[in-house]
Amino acid sequence: MRTSGYSTRSRRGFVRAGLVATALLAGPCARDALASTRRISDDAERRIDLSRIPRRVFPAGAPAAVFVYCLAPDQLVGWPRALRADEAALLLPEVADLPELGRLTGRGSTAKLEGVLALGTDLVVDVGSIAPTYASLADQVQAQTGVPYLLFDGRFEHTTRTLQRLGAALGAERRAEVLATGVQSILDEMAELRAGLAADDRPRVLFARGPTGLATAAAGGLNAEVFDVVGAVNVAQTGAPNLSLISLEQVVDWQPDWIVASDAAFFSQLTRHPVWSSLPAVRAGRAVLAPRLPFGWFDAPPALNRFVGVVWLAAVLHPARIRYPLAERLVATFEWLYHRRPTQAQIDSLLAQTRLPR
């Protein structure tokens, strides 16, 4: 079995991206002026005209809010859900009190079109599925409000392109390139990791979602892409398109090598539960809690925040192959993404929460 850390090429690429990002943090995102009306195409092959740089951007859902914040925080008009204090502590202070907007997209949309107009919105952005249902919603909102609406693909493989296209629409091309360079460096690093793994080196992992651990993200779905990127095998072969409910009998039958939980209360009683505690993964301490600050590290939402999860989970699952000091790497990753450098104590606290209680 070949053991290798991340390559010098990958490491230097990430460091270069981080240094450029740090330089840009000293002032607002650099933007190139729009000399004339531009026709912008989104990933649903919809075309809209932008006559100027949008200054007030309404995110249709949580993934879009993360993308817009990471690219151009001063253009974000609000959050689908108001930030909690512990979330805001890791982001720029000026976004902490932005209003709660609700969602235009997803199940049970809660945002009102009147709110889009009342906020003086220049542009609506959605990032996620580009299926016809979502393209139709974009057309409908745009027709009813007169506000341009862009829809971008949220899958990992399209992240660099989404950053570049959205960055161009926001007039934040330089910041988009910083993020795209860092994203590609992480993806290259993980591709190198996967190339060195034999089939039996790939850990079989279950994503135990929710307060019972019996909701999961199926293999191949948007919510489970982190597993694929870090060279893990998702045991939840449910056949469902994305999220689904499972039974304890299925969990026992699958016998995962690792368990990644999303709910702190569920995770805290894992070693005391009559069934979960009997699993070899739990007995061996191979269960972790995915942190949620400032956004979920795994899938909540499925946006740029997942790259924090990639950096973390790769080190957890492949400690002999990943050589970077995890806490230091997370500090750099947070600063690169979120415009604010966390303290070492903040990162240490988050990592302490990921481990099973003794």
Side-chain angles (χ1 to χ4, degrees):
M1 180 174 69
R2 185 171 68 87
T3 301
S4 64
Y6 67 135
S7 70
T8 300
R9 174 178 55 80
S10 297
R11 179 173 66 251
R12 286 175 179 167
F14 184 85
V15 169
R16 280 198 301 272
L19 290 174
V20 175
T22 301
L24 289 175
L25 296 182
C29 298
R31 298 177 182 86
D32 298 327
L34 297 178
S36 59
T37 298
R38 296 181 305 163
R39 177 152 287 188
I40 305 291
S41 296
D42 66 11
D43 289 334
E45 299 184 355
R46 300 168 58 260
R47 293 173 177 82
I48 66 170
D49 291 330
L50 288 180
S51 59
R52 59 190 174 88
I53 294 174
R55 296 298 182 187
R56 297 186 63 75
V57 181
F58 191 111
V66 174
F67 268 88
V68 175
Y69 170 78
C70 292
L71 278 164
D74 57 316
Q75 292 167 250
L76 187 68
V77 298
W79 299 96
R81 174 186 55 74
L83 291 178
R84 302 184 182 100
D86 55 357
E87 296 165 335
L90 292 162
L91 302 173
L92 290 172
E94 51 264 39
V95 304
D97 295 325
L98 288 177
E100 181 168 322
L101 307 174
R103 300 187 319 276
L104 284 172
T105 189
R107 291 184 180 179
S109 60
T110 55
K112 297 185 181 300
L113 296 186
E114 308 91 86
V116 175
L117 295 172
L119 288 165
T121 303
D122 299 310
L123 178 67
V124 177
V125 172
D126 192 14
V127 179
S129 173
I130 58 172
T133 299
Y134 295 93
S136 176
L137 173 66
D139 289 338
Q140 179 182 347
V141 171
Q142 185 169 305
Q144 292 179 345
T145 63
V147 177
Y149 189 128
L150 289 171
L151 174 60
F152 294 104
D153 196 322
R155 288 176 292 177
F156 257 114
E157 62 197 88
H158 294 289
T159 302
T160 55
R161 188 180 72 174
T162 293
L163 283 166
Q164 290 162 346
R165 298 182 78 177
L166 178 56
L170 299 179
E173 291 91 343
R174 289 179 59 192
R175 171 63 176 165
E177 200 54 43
V178 167
L179 289 172
T181 299
V183 160
Q184 193 58 54
S185 180
I186 293 173
L187 292 176
D188 290 346
E189 185 176 353
M190 293 302 117
E192 183 177 345
L193 168 68
R194 295 192 305 273
L197 295 174
D200 58 359
D201 292 331
R202 294 176 177 261
R204 300 172 63 258
V205 186
L206 172 69
F207 186 26
R209 261 176 141 260
T212 66
L214 295 178
T216 196
L222 189 68
N223 295 70
E225 287 185 303
V226 170
F227 285 159
D228 298 329
V229 175
V230 301
V233 176
N234 188 345
V235 299
Q237 305 290 333
T238 64
N242 204 355
L243 299 178
S244 58
L245 295 176
I246 56 176
S247 66
L248 274 173
E249 289 77 13
Q250 285 175 297
V251 174
V252 172
D253 184 58
W254 288 331
Q255 289 289 297
D257 301 320
W258 280 87
I259 295 167
V260 177
S262 71
D263 185 89
F266 163 73
F267 186 70
S268 69
Q269 56 84 52
L270 202 56
T271 57
R272 303 190 303 274
H273 189 278
V275 178
W276 287 97
S277 65
S278 69
L279 295 172
V282 177
R283 293 203 307 268
R286 294 193 302 269
V288 290
L289 175 67
R292 62 170 185 84
L293 297 176
F295 310 106
W297 290 17
F298 199 88
D299 77 331
L304 288 172
N305 44 292
R306 294 184 294 173
F307 284 90
V308 177
V310 167
V311 168
W312 164 67
L313 195 58
V316 169
L317 298 182
H318 308 286
R321 295 172 179 272
I322 295 294
R323 303 290 180 81
Y324 48 71
L326 179 56
E328 294 177 20
R329 180 66 179 271
L330 287 172
V331 167
T333 304
F334 269 57
E335 184 177 20
W336 161 68
L337 274 181
Y338 301 136
H339 310 276
R340 184 173 182 177
R341 185 177 181 85
T343 66
Q344 194 65 56
Q346 286 174 312
I347 294 297
D348 290 344
S349 175
L350 290 173
L351 288 176
Q353 297 167 24
T354 70
R355 297 186 284 270
L356 277 172
R358 295 181 178 179

